[in-house]
Coordinates of all heavy atoms in Angstrom, one line a residue:
M240 N -13.7 9.9 -53.8 CA -12.8 8.7 -54.1 C -12.4 8.7 -55.5 O -13.3 8.8 -56.4 CB -13.7 7.5 -53.7 CG -13.1 6.2 -54.2 SD -12.0 5.6 -52.9 CE -10.8 4.8 -54.0
R241 N -11.1 8.6 -55.8 CA -10.6 8.5 -57.1 C -10.2 7.1 -57.4 O -9.6 6.4 -56.6 CB -9.5 9.5 -57.3 CG -9.9 10.9 -57.3 CD -8.8 11.8 -57.6 NE -9.3 13.2 -57.6 CZ -8.6 14.3 -57.9 NH1 -7.4 14.1 -58.3 NH2 -9.2 15.4 -57.9
I242 N -10.4 6.7 -58.7 CA -10.1 5.3 -59.1 C -9.5 5.3 -60.5 O -10.0 6.0 -61.3 CB -11.3 4.4 -58.9 CG1 -11.0 2.9 -59.2 CG2 -12.5 4.9 -59.7 CD1 -12.1 2.0 -58.9
A243 N -8.5 4.5 -60.7 CA -7.9 4.4 -62.0 C -8.7 3.3 -62.8 O -9.0 2.2 -62.2 CB -6.4 4.0 -62.0
V244 N -9.1 3.6 -64.0 CA -9.9 2.6 -64.8 C -9.3 2.5 -66.2 O -8.8 3.4 -66.8 CB -11.4 3.2 -64.9 CG1 -12.2 2.3 -65.8 CG2 -12.0 3.3 -63.5
H245 N -9.4 1.3 -66.7 CA -9.0 1.0 -68.1 C -10.3 0.6 -68.8 O -10.9 -0.4 -68.5 CB -8.0 -0.2 -68.2 CG -7.6 -0.5 -69.6 ND1 -8.3 -1.4 -70.3 CD2 -6.6 0.0 -70.3 CE1 -7.7 -1.5 -71.5 NE2 -6.7 -0.6 -71.6
V246 N -10.7 1.4 -69.8 CA -11.9 1.3 -70.5 C -11.6 0.7 -71.9 O -10.8 1.2 -72.6 CB -12.7 2.6 -70.7 CG1 -13.9 2.4 -71.5 CG2 -13.0 3.2 -69.3
T247 N -12.4 -0.4 -72.2 CA -12.3 -1.0 -73.5 C -13.6 -0.8 -74.2 O -14.6 -1.4 -73.8 CB -12.0 -2.6 -73.4 OG1 -10.8 -2.8 -72.6 CG2 -11.9 -3.2 -74.8
P248 N -13.6 0.1 -75.2 CA -14.9 0.4 -75.9 C -15.2 -0.7 -77.0 O -14.3 -1.5 -77.3 CB -14.6 1.7 -76.6 CG -13.1 1.8 -76.7 CD -12.5 1.0 -75.6
R249 N -16.4 -0.7 -77.5 CA -16.8 -1.6 -78.5 C -16.6 -3.1 -78.1 O -16.3 -4.0 -78.9 CB -16.1 -1.4 -79.9 CG -16.6 -0.1 -80.5 CD -16.2 -0.1 -82.0 NE -16.7 1.1 -82.6 CZ -16.0 2.0 -83.2 NH1 -14.7 1.9 -83.3 NH2 -16.7 3.0 -83.8
S250 N -16.9 -3.4 -76.8 CA -16.8 -4.7 -76.3 C -18.1 -5.5 -76.7 O -19.0 -4.9 -77.1 CB -16.5 -4.7 -74.8 OG -16.5 -6.0 -74.3
G251 N -18.1 -6.8 -76.4 CA -19.3 -7.6 -76.7 C -20.4 -7.3 -75.7 O -21.5 -7.6 -76.0
R252 N -20.0 -6.9 -74.5 CA -21.0 -6.6 -73.5 C -20.5 -5.5 -72.5 O -19.3 -5.3 -72.4 CB -21.4 -7.9 -72.8 CG -20.3 -8.5 -72.0 CD -20.7 -9.7 -71.3 NE -19.5 -10.4 -70.8 CZ -19.3 -11.7 -70.9 NH1 -20.1 -12.4 -71.6 NH2 -18.2 -12.2 -70.5
D253 N -21.4 -5.0 -71.7 CA -21.0 -4.0 -70.7 C -20.7 -4.8 -69.4 O -21.5 -5.6 -69.0 CB -22.1 -3.0 -70.4 CG -22.3 -2.1 -71.5 OD1 -21.4 -1.8 -72.3 OD2 -23.5 -1.5 -71.6
E254 N -19.4 -4.7 -68.9 CA -19.1 -5.4 -67.7 C -17.9 -4.8 -67.0 O -17.0 -4.1 -67.6 CB -18.8 -6.9 -68.0 CG -17.5 -7.1 -68.8 CD -17.2 -8.6 -69.0 OE1 -17.7 -9.4 -68.3 OE2 -16.4 -8.8 -69.9
V255 N -17.8 -5.0 -65.7 CA -16.6 -4.7 -64.9 C -15.9 -6.0 -64.8 O -16.4 -6.9 -64.2 CB -17.0 -4.1 -63.5 CG1 -15.7 -3.9 -62.7 CG2 -17.8 -2.8 -63.6
A256 N -14.7 -6.0 -65.4 CA -14.0 -7.3 -65.6 C -13.0 -7.5 -64.5 O -12.3 -8.5 -64.5 CB -13.2 -7.3 -66.9
G257 N -12.9 -6.7 -63.5 CA -12.0 -6.9 -62.3 C -10.7 -6.0 -62.5 O -10.6 -5.2 -63.3
W258 N -9.8 -6.3 -61.6 CA -8.6 -5.5 -61.5 C -7.6 -6.0 -62.5 O -7.4 -7.2 -62.7 CB -8.0 -5.5 -60.1 CG -8.9 -4.9 -59.1 CD1 -9.8 -5.5 -58.2 CD2 -9.1 -3.5 -58.9 NE1 -10.5 -4.6 -57.5 CE2 -10.1 -3.4 -57.9 CE3 -8.5 -2.4 -59.4 CZ2 -10.5 -2.1 -57.4 CZ3 -8.9 -1.1 -59.0 CH2 -9.9 -1.0 -58.0
R259 N -7.0 -5.0 -63.1 CA -5.9 -5.3 -64.1 C -4.7 -4.4 -63.7 O -4.7 -3.2 -64.0 CB -6.4 -4.9 -65.5 CG -5.4 -5.0 -66.6 CD -6.1 -4.5 -67.9 NE -5.1 -4.4 -68.9 CZ -5.4 -4.1 -70.1 NH1 -6.6 -3.8 -70.5 NH2 -4.4 -4.0 -71.0
G260 N -3.8 -5.0 -63.0 CA -2.7 -4.2 -62.4 C -3.4 -3.3 -61.3 O -4.2 -3.8 -60.5
G261 N -3.1 -2.0 -61.3 CA -3.7 -1.1 -60.4 C -5.0 -0.4 -60.9 O -5.5 0.5 -60.3
E262 N -5.5 -0.9 -62.0 CA -6.7 -0.3 -62.6 C -7.8 -1.2 -62.7 O -7.6 -2.4 -62.8 CB -6.4 0.1 -64.1 CG -5.3 1.1 -64.3 CD -5.1 1.4 -65.8 OE1 -5.0 0.5 -66.6 OE2 -5.0 2.6 -66.1
L263 N -9.0 -0.7 -62.6 CA -10.2 -1.5 -62.7 C -10.5 -1.6 -64.2 O -10.6 -0.6 -64.9 CB -11.4 -0.8 -62.0 CG -12.7 -1.7 -61.8 CD1 -12.4 -2.9 -61.0 CD2 -13.7 -0.8 -61.2
S264 N -10.7 -2.8 -64.7 CA -10.9 -3.0 -66.1 C -12.5 -3.0 -66.4 O -13.2 -3.7 -65.8 CB -10.4 -4.3 -66.6 OG -10.6 -4.6 -67.9
V265 N -12.9 -2.1 -67.3 CA -14.3 -1.9 -67.6 C -14.4 -2.0 -69.1 O -13.7 -1.4 -69.9 CB -14.8 -0.5 -67.2 CG1 -16.2 -0.2 -67.6 CG2 -14.6 -0.3 -65.7
R266 N -15.4 -2.9 -69.5 CA -15.7 -3.1 -70.9 C -17.1 -2.5 -71.2 O -18.0 -2.8 -70.5 CB -15.6 -4.6 -71.3 CG -14.3 -5.1 -71.1 CD -14.2 -6.6 -71.4 NE -12.9 -7.2 -71.1 CZ -12.7 -8.3 -70.4 NH1 -13.8 -9.1 -70.1 NH2 -11.5 -8.7 -70.2
V267 N -17.2 -1.8 -72.3 CA -18.5 -1.2 -72.7 C -18.7 -1.4 -74.2 O -17.8 -1.5 -75.0 CB -18.6 0.3 -72.4 CG1 -18.5 0.6 -70.9 CG2 -17.5 1.1 -73.0
T268 N -20.0 -1.5 -74.6 CA -20.3 -1.8 -76.0 C -20.3 -0.5 -76.8 O -20.2 -0.5 -78.0 CB -21.7 -2.4 -76.1 OG1 -22.7 -1.5 -75.4 CG2 -21.8 -3.8 -75.5
A269 N -20.3 0.7 -76.1 CA -20.4 2.0 -76.8 C -19.1 2.2 -77.5 O -18.0 1.8 -77.1 CB -20.6 3.1 -75.8
P270 N -19.2 2.9 -78.6 CA -17.9 3.3 -79.4 C -17.3 4.5 -78.7 O -17.9 5.3 -78.0 CB -18.5 3.7 -80.8 CG -19.8 4.2 -80.5 CD -20.4 3.4 -79.3
P271 N -16.0 4.7 -79.0 CA -15.2 5.8 -78.4 C -15.4 7.1 -79.1 O -14.4 7.8 -79.5 CB -13.8 5.3 -78.4 CG -13.7 4.5 -79.6 CD -15.1 3.8 -79.7
E272 N -16.6 7.4 -79.5 CA -16.9 8.6 -80.2 C -17.9 9.5 -79.5 O -18.8 9.1 -78.9 CB -17.6 8.2 -81.6 CG -16.7 7.3 -82.4 CD -17.5 6.5 -83.4 OE1 -18.7 6.6 -83.5 OE2 -16.8 5.8 -84.2
D273 N -17.6 10.8 -79.5 CA -18.4 11.8 -78.9 C -18.7 11.5 -77.4 O -19.7 11.9 -76.8 CB -19.8 11.9 -79.6 CG -19.6 12.3 -81.0 OD1 -18.8 13.1 -81.3 OD2 -20.4 11.7 -81.9
G274 N -17.7 10.9 -76.7 CA -17.8 10.7 -75.3 C -18.7 9.6 -74.9 O -19.1 9.4 -73.7
R275 N -19.2 8.8 -75.9 CA -20.2 7.7 -75.5 C -19.6 6.6 -74.7 O -20.2 6.1 -73.8 CB -20.8 7.1 -76.8 CG -21.8 8.1 -77.5 CD -22.4 7.4 -78.6 NE -21.9 8.0 -79.8 CZ -22.1 7.5 -81.0 NH1 -22.9 6.4 -81.2 NH2 -21.6 8.1 -82.1
A276 N -18.3 6.2 -74.9 CA -17.7 5.2 -74.1 C -17.5 5.7 -72.7 O -17.7 4.9 -71.7 CB -16.4 4.7 -74.7
N277 N -17.1 7.0 -72.5 CA -16.9 7.5 -71.2 C -18.3 7.5 -70.4 O -18.3 7.1 -69.3 CB -16.4 9.0 -71.3 CG -15.0 9.0 -71.7 OD1 -14.2 8.1 -71.6 ND2 -14.6 10.2 -72.2
A278 N -19.3 7.9 -71.1 CA -20.6 8.0 -70.4 C -21.1 6.6 -70.1 O -21.6 6.4 -69.0 CB -21.7 8.6 -71.4
A279 N -20.9 5.6 -71.0 CA -21.3 4.2 -70.7 C -20.5 3.7 -69.5 O -21.0 3.0 -68.6 CB -21.1 3.4 -71.9
A280 N -19.2 4.0 -69.4 CA -18.3 3.5 -68.3 C -18.8 4.1 -67.0 O -18.9 3.4 -66.0 CB -16.9 3.8 -68.6
C281 N -19.1 5.4 -67.0 CA -19.5 6.1 -65.8 C -20.9 5.5 -65.3 O -21.1 5.2 -64.1 CB -19.6 7.6 -66.0 SG -18.0 8.4 -66.2
E282 N -21.8 5.3 -66.3 CA -23.1 4.7 -66.0 C -23.0 3.3 -65.4 O -23.6 2.9 -64.5 CB -24.0 4.7 -67.2 CG -25.4 4.3 -66.9 CD -26.3 4.4 -68.1 OE1 -26.0 5.1 -69.1 OE2 -27.3 3.7 -68.2
L283 N -22.1 2.5 -66.0 CA -21.9 1.1 -65.6 C -21.4 1.1 -64.2 O -21.8 0.3 -63.3 CB -21.0 0.4 -66.5 CG -20.6 -1.1 -66.1 CD1 -21.8 -2.0 -66.0 CD2 -19.6 -1.6 -67.1
L284 N -20.4 1.9 -63.9 CA -19.8 2.0 -62.5 C -20.8 2.5 -61.5 O -20.9 1.9 -60.4 CB -18.5 2.8 -62.5 CG -17.3 2.1 -63.1 CD1 -16.1 3.0 -63.2 CD2 -17.0 0.9 -62.3
A285 N -21.6 3.5 -61.9 CA -22.6 4.0 -61.0 C -23.6 2.9 -60.6 O -24.0 2.7 -59.5 CB -23.3 5.2 -61.6
R286 N -24.1 2.2 -61.6 CA -25.0 1.1 -61.4 C -24.4 0.0 -60.6 O -25.1 -0.5 -59.6 CB -25.5 0.6 -62.8 CG -26.6 -0.4 -62.7 CD -27.2 -0.7 -64.1 NE -26.2 -1.2 -65.0 CZ -25.9 -0.6 -66.2 NH1 -26.4 0.5 -66.5 NH2 -25.0 -1.2 -66.9
S287 N -23.2 -0.3 -60.8 CA -22.5 -1.4 -60.1 C -22.3 -1.0 -58.6 O -22.3 -1.9 -57.7 CB -21.2 -1.7 -60.7 OG -21.3 -2.2 -62.0
L288 N -22.1 0.3 -58.4 CA -21.8 0.8 -57.0 C -23.1 1.3 -56.3 O -23.0 1.6 -55.1 CB -20.8 1.9 -57.1 CG -19.4 1.4 -57.5 CD1 -18.5 2.6 -57.9 CD2 -18.7 0.6 -56.4
G289 N -24.2 1.4 -57.0 CA -25.4 1.8 -56.4 C -25.4 3.3 -56.0 O -26.0 3.7 -55.0
V290 N -24.8 4.1 -56.9 CA -24.8 5.5 -56.7 C -25.4 6.2 -57.9 O -25.5 5.6 -59.0 CB -23.3 6.1 -56.5 CG1 -22.7 5.5 -55.3 CG2 -22.4 5.8 -57.7
P291 N -25.9 7.4 -57.8 CA -26.4 8.1 -59.0 C -25.4 8.3 -60.1 O -24.2 8.4 -59.8 CB -26.9 9.5 -58.4 CG -26.8 9.4 -57.0 CD -25.9 8.3 -56.6
K292 N -25.8 8.4 -61.3 CA -24.9 8.6 -62.5 C -24.1 9.9 -62.3 O -23.0 9.9 -62.7 CB -25.7 8.6 -63.8 CG -26.2 7.3 -64.3 CD -26.8 7.4 -65.6 CE -28.1 8.0 -65.6 NZ -28.8 8.0 -67.0
R293 N -24.7 10.9 -61.8 CA -24.0 12.2 -61.6 C -22.9 12.1 -60.6 O -22.0 13.0 -60.6 CB -25.0 13.3 -61.2 CG -25.6 13.1 -59.8 CD -26.6 14.2 -59.5 NE -27.1 14.1 -58.2 CZ -28.1 13.2 -57.9 NH1 -28.7 12.6 -58.8 NH2 -28.5 13.1 -56.6
A294 N -22.8 11.0 -59.8 CA -21.7 10.9 -58.8 C -20.4 10.4 -59.4 O -19.4 10.4 -58.7 CB -22.2 10.0 -57.7
V295 N -20.5 9.9 -60.7 CA -19.3 9.3 -61.3 C -18.9 10.2 -62.5 O -19.8 10.5 -63.4 CB -19.6 7.9 -61.8 CG1 -18.3 7.3 -62.4 CG2 -20.0 7.0 -60.6
R296 N -17.7 10.6 -62.6 CA -17.2 11.5 -63.7 C -15.8 11.2 -64.0 O -15.0 10.9 -63.1 CB -17.5 12.9 -63.4 CG -16.8 13.5 -62.3 CD -17.3 14.9 -61.9 NE -16.9 15.3 -60.6 CZ -17.4 14.8 -59.4 NH1 -18.3 14.0 -59.4 NH2 -16.9 15.3 -58.3
V297 N -15.4 11.4 -65.3 CA -14.0 11.3 -65.7 C -13.3 12.6 -65.4 O -13.8 13.7 -65.7 CB -14.0 11.1 -67.2 CG1 -12.5 11.0 -67.7 CG2 -14.7 9.8 -67.6
I298 N -12.2 12.5 -64.7 CA -11.4 13.7 -64.3 C -10.1 13.8 -65.1 O -9.5 14.9 -65.1 CB -11.2 13.9 -62.8 CG1 -10.5 12.7 -62.2 CG2 -12.5 14.1 -62.1 CD1 -10.1 12.9 -60.8
R299 N -9.7 12.7 -65.7 CA -8.5 12.7 -66.5 C -8.5 11.5 -67.5 O -9.0 10.4 -67.1 CB -7.2 12.5 -65.6 CG -5.9 12.7 -66.3 CD -4.8 12.6 -65.4 NE -4.9 11.5 -64.4 CZ -3.9 11.2 -63.6 NH1 -2.8 11.8 -63.6 NH2 -4.1 10.2 -62.8
G300 N -8.1 11.8 -68.7 CA -8.1 10.8 -69.7 C -9.3 10.7 -70.6 O -9.7 9.6 -71.0
E301 N -9.9 11.8 -70.8 CA -11.2 11.9 -71.6 C -11.1 11.1 -72.9 O -12.0 10.4 -73.3 CB -11.5 13.3 -71.9 CG -12.1 14.1 -70.8 CD -13.6 13.8 -70.5 OE1 -14.3 13.5 -71.5 OE2 -14.0 13.9 -69.4
S302 N -9.9 11.2 -73.6 CA -9.8 10.5 -74.9 C -8.8 9.4 -74.9 O -8.4 8.9 -75.9 CB -9.3 11.6 -76.0 OG -8.1 12.1 -75.6
A303 N -8.5 8.9 -73.7 CA -7.6 7.7 -73.5 C -8.3 6.5 -72.9 O -9.4 6.7 -72.3 CB -6.4 8.1 -72.6
R304 N -7.7 5.4 -73.1 CA -8.3 4.2 -72.4 C -8.1 4.2 -70.9 O -8.8 3.6 -70.2 CB -7.8 2.9 -73.1 CG -8.3 2.7 -74.5 CD -7.7 1.4 -75.0 NE -8.3 1.2 -76.4 CZ -8.7 0.1 -76.9 NH1 -8.7 -1.0 -76.1 NH2 -9.2 0.0 -78.1
H305 N -6.9 4.7 -70.5 CA -6.6 4.8 -69.1 C -7.1 6.1 -68.6 O -6.7 7.2 -69.0 CB -5.0 4.8 -69.0 CG -4.4 3.5 -69.5 ND1 -4.4 2.3 -68.8 CD2 -3.9 3.2 -70.7 CE1 -3.8 1.4 -69.6 NE2 -3.5 1.9 -70.8
K306 N -8.0 6.0 -67.6 CA -8.8 7.1 -67.1 C -8.7 7.2 -65.6 O -8.4 6.2 -64.9 CB -10.2 7.1 -67.5 CG -10.5 7.0 -69.0 CD -11.9 6.9 -69.3 CE -12.1 6.7 -70.8 NZ -11.5 7.7 -71.7
Q307 N -8.9 8.4 -65.1 CA -9.1 8.6 -63.7 C -10.5 9.0 -63.5 O -10.9 10.0 -64.1 CB -8.1 9.7 -63.2 CG -8.0 9.8 -61.7 CD -7.1 8.8 -61.1 OE1 -7.3 8.5 -59.9 NE2 -6.1 8.3 -61.7
L308 N -11.2 8.3 -62.6 CA -12.6 8.7 -62.4 C -12.7 9.1 -60.9 O -12.0 8.6 -60.0 CB -13.6 7.5 -62.6 CG -13.6 6.9 -64.0 CD1 -14.6 5.8 -64.0 CD2 -14.0 7.9 -65.0
E309 N -13.7 10.0 -60.7 CA -14.0 10.5 -59.4 C -15.4 10.0 -59.0 O -16.3 10.2 -59.9 CB -13.9 12.0 -59.2 CG -14.0 12.4 -57.8 CD -13.5 13.8 -57.6 OE1 -14.1 14.8 -58.1 OE2 -12.4 14.0 -57.0
I310 N -15.6 9.4 -57.9 CA -16.9 8.9 -57.5 C -17.2 9.5 -56.1 O -16.5 9.3 -55.2 CB -16.8 7.3 -57.4 CG1 -16.3 6.7 -58.7 CG2 -18.2 6.8 -57.0 CD1 -16.0 5.3 -58.6
D311 N -18.3 10.3 -56.1 CA -18.7 11.0 -54.9 C -19.3 10.0 -53.9 O -20.1 9.1 -54.3 CB -19.6 12.1 -55.2 CG -19.0 13.2 -56.0 OD1 -17.8 13.4 -55.9 OD2 -19.8 13.9 -56.8
G312 N -19.0 10.2 -52.6 CA -19.7 9.5 -51.6 C -19.3 8.1 -51.3 O -20.0 7.3 -50.6
L313 N -18.1 7.6 -51.8 CA -17.7 6.3 -51.5 C -16.3 6.3 -50.9 O -15.5 7.3 -51.0 CB -17.6 5.5 -52.9 CG -18.9 5.2 -53.6 CD1 -18.6 4.4 -54.8 CD2 -19.8 4.4 -52.7
T314 N -16.0 5.2 -50.2 CA -14.7 5.0 -49.6 C -14.0 3.9 -50.3 O -14.6 3.1 -51.0 CB -14.9 4.6 -48.1 OG1 -15.5 3.3 -48.0 CG2 -15.7 5.6 -47.3
P315 N -12.7 3.7 -50.1 CA -12.0 2.5 -50.6 C -12.6 1.2 -50.2 O -12.6 0.3 -51.0 CB -10.6 2.7 -50.1 CG -10.4 4.1 -49.9 CD -11.7 4.6 -49.4
G316 N -13.2 1.1 -49.0 CA -13.9 -0.1 -48.6 C -15.1 -0.4 -49.4 O -15.4 -1.6 -49.7
D317 N -15.8 0.6 -49.9 CA -17.0 0.4 -50.7 C -16.5 -0.1 -52.1 O -17.2 -1.0 -52.6 CB -17.7 1.8 -51.0 CG -18.3 2.3 -49.7 OD1 -18.7 1.6 -48.8 OD2 -18.3 3.6 -49.6
I318 N -15.4 0.4 -52.6 CA -14.9 -0.1 -53.9 C -14.5 -1.6 -53.7 O -14.8 -2.4 -54.6 CB -13.7 0.7 -54.4 CG1 -14.1 2.2 -54.6 CG2 -13.1 0.1 -55.6 CD1 -15.1 2.4 -55.7
A319 N -13.8 -1.9 -52.6 CA -13.3 -3.3 -52.4 C -14.5 -4.2 -52.2 O -14.5 -5.4 -52.7 CB -12.4 -3.3 -51.1
R320 N -15.6 -3.8 -51.6 CA -16.8 -4.7 -51.4 C -17.4 -5.0 -52.8 O -17.9 -6.0 -53.0 CB -17.8 -4.0 -50.5 CG -17.4 -4.3 -49.0 CD -18.5 -3.8 -48.1 NE -18.7 -2.4 -48.0 CZ -17.8 -1.6 -47.3 NH1 -16.8 -2.1 -46.6 NH2 -18.0 -0.3 -47.2
A321 N -17.4 -4.0 -53.6 CA -18.1 -4.1 -54.9 C -17.2 -4.9 -55.9 O -17.8 -5.8 -56.7 CB -18.4 -2.8 -55.5
F322 N -15.9 -4.7 -55.9 CA -15.1 -5.3 -57.0 C -13.9 -6.1 -56.5 O -13.1 -6.6 -57.3 CB -14.5 -4.2 -57.9 CG -15.6 -3.2 -58.4 CD1 -15.5 -1.9 -58.1 CD2 -16.6 -3.7 -59.2 CE1 -16.5 -1.0 -58.6 CE2 -17.6 -2.9 -59.7 CZ -17.5 -1.5 -59.4
G323 N -13.8 -6.3 -55.2 CA -12.7 -7.0 -54.6 C -11.6 -6.0 -54.3 O -11.6 -4.9 -54.7
D324 N -10.6 -6.5 -53.5 CA -9.5 -5.7 -53.2 C -8.6 -5.5 -54.4 O -8.2 -6.4 -55.1 CB -8.6 -6.3 -52.1 CG -9.3 -6.3 -50.7 OD1 -10.0 -5.2 -50.4 OD2 -9.3 -7.3 -50.0
P325 N -8.2 -4.2 -54.6 CA -7.2 -4.0 -55.7 C -5.9 -4.6 -55.4 O -5.5 -4.8 -54.2 CB -7.1 -2.5 -55.8 CG -7.6 -2.0 -54.5 CD -8.5 -3.0 -53.9
P326 N -5.1 -5.0 -56.3 CA -3.8 -5.6 -56.0 C -2.9 -4.6 -55.4 O -3.0 -3.4 -55.7 CB -3.2 -6.0 -57.4 CG -4.0 -5.3 -58.4 CD -5.3 -5.0 -57.8
S327 N -2.1 -5.1 -54.4 CA -1.2 -4.1 -53.7 C 0.0 -3.8 -54.6 O 0.4 -4.6 -55.4 CB -0.7 -4.7 -52.4 OG -0.2 -6.0 -52.7
E328 N 0.4 -2.5 -54.5 CA 1.5 -2.0 -55.4 C 2.8 -2.6 -54.9 O 3.0 -2.6 -53.7 CB 1.5 -0.5 -55.3 CG 0.2 0.2 -55.7 CD 0.2 0.6 -57.2 OE1 1.3 0.6 -57.8 OE2 -0.8 0.8 -57.7
V329 N 3.6 -3.0 -55.8 CA 4.9 -3.5 -55.4 C 5.9 -2.4 -55.7 O 5.9 -1.8 -56.8 CB 5.3 -4.8 -56.3 CG1 6.7 -5.3 -55.9 CG2 4.2 -5.9 -56.0
G330 N 6.8 -2.2 -54.8 CA 7.8 -1.2 -55.1 C 8.2 -0.5 -53.9 O 8.9 0.3 -53.7

């Protein structure tokens, strides 16, 4: 399962803030240095979804706030149960 994520580093707390457009908004306290924010975002999503940390990885956008993550073993329904339904695309 692939999911678009917007990561905000150096936030006040680690949290999944919900859908922002077609992306899941994730805030982490880690700085965007040496991949720490990416690792924190992957760990937060893994914990929120109940999957092992190794099941979540960044596949695009390593150094950008807009990322594409791949999560092994989940369906779109699992994502919707955890974070609500993503907004439907208009167009």
Side-chain angles (χ1 to χ4, degrees):
M240 167 86 216
R241 290 186 180 183
I242 184 171
V244 176
H245 180 270
V246 177
T247 303
R249 290 196 174 122
S250 179
R252 63 178 170 229
D253 291 338
E254 68 177 340
V255 177
W258 295 100
R259 175 182 171 177
E262 298 177 313
L263 189 62
S264 180
V265 176
R266 298 179 184 136
V267 295
T268 57
E272 300 159 355
D273 301 321
R275 285 188 255 171
N277 289 342
C281 290
E282 185 176 338
L283 175 61
L284 285 174
R286 190 170 54 242
S287 298
L288 293 166
V290 298
K292 286 189 285 187
R293 70 181 178 277
V295 182
R296 63 193 163 282
V297 177
I298 58 172
R299 188 172 45 171
E301 285 280 332
S302 61
R304 288 181 182 224
H305 301 277
K306 302 179 185 302
Q307 188 83 207
L308 300 183
E309 189 163 69
I310 306 167
D311 295 333
L313 293 182
T314 66
D317 297 326
I318 301 293
R320 278 189 288 285
F322 307 120
D324 288 320
S327 51
E328 301 267 340
V329 177

